[in-house]
Amino acid sequence: MMLNVYLSGEIHTDWRDEIIAGAEGLGVTFSAPVTDHDASDDCGVAIMGEEPSKFWHDNKGAKLNAIRTRTAIEAADIVVVRFGEKYRQWNAAFDAGYAAALGKSLVVMHGQDHQHALKEVDAAALAVTETPEQVVQILRYVLSGELPK
């Protein structure tokens, strides 16, 4: 079995790299949003031209990023959504809701301090984790039935 996993959410730490490294050899392909914050924010105006207001600047970028995000979530077998400590990731909550609406297997990752705020997101997930290692263990179990040692 092969799995296609989309890694959504927080872009300020290396959690994606940890999961990808831990899943090496498991038969998993990964996709993700553009994690270069400036590129993600400015893609619309860089490609389609400047905008006079910040609202339309952001709107162009959000729509262009949505092409990548929607395509990757729709193609994914599992969507992992990470909510970080430092910033509010409204886009991550949107991705989790979109994945749930599509019936995708959803794994959510966040610290205990976000349990209350994310209770509805957690309720839609098939697994709620706190660490990249737990996500890797889920992938290993799903693919091989192997429990952590």
Side-chain angles (χ1 to χ4, degrees):
M1 179 186 325
M2 292 283 295
L3 288 177
N4 183 4
V5 177
Y6 183 69
L7 302 173
S8 173
E10 185 264 318
I11 65 169
H12 302 284
T13 63
D14 66 350
W15 68 274
R16 285 181 182 83
D17 296 333
E18 291 179 45
I19 291 172
I20 292 168
E24 189 173 335
L26 289 181
V28 181
T29 58
F30 293 97
S31 58
V34 172
T35 57
D36 176 323
H37 204 157
D38 291 336
S40 177
D41 284 350
D42 298 336
C43 64
V45 296
I47 295 170
M48 298 178 283
E50 293 297 321
E51 287 295 337
S53 76
K54 184 67 172 147
F55 175 85
W56 292 112
H57 174 114
D58 288 346
N59 186 273
K60 258 187 189 177
K63 287 180 177 181
L64 188 54
N65 283 315
I67 295 170
R68 178 185 180 105
T69 302
R70 289 179 186 178
T71 301
I73 290 173
E74 289 167 8
D77 299 304
I78 298 173
V79 176
V80 177
V81 182
R82 161 91 172 123
F83 292 89
E85 305 304 320
K86 189 171 182 184
Y87 300 99
R88 292 185 181 127
Q89 289 95 38
W90 304 119
N91 59 321
F94 185 87
D95 289 356
Y98 187 62
L102 292 174
K104 298 296 176 174
S105 294
L106 178 62
V107 176
V108 175
M109 183 172 34
H110 60 75
Q112 291 183 8
D113 55 328
H114 288 351
Q115 282 178 338
H116 180 73
L118 293 172
K119 64 186 176 294
E120 287 83 7
V121 173
D122 289 351
L126 295 179
V128 178
T129 64
E130 292 186 25
T131 68
E133 178 57 29
Q134 289 174 317
V135 174
V136 170
Q137 290 171 354
I138 288 169
L139 297 174
R140 183 171 288 112
Y141 178 76
V142 167
L143 286 164
S144 70
E146 182 183 326
L147 291 173
K149 297 174 182 166

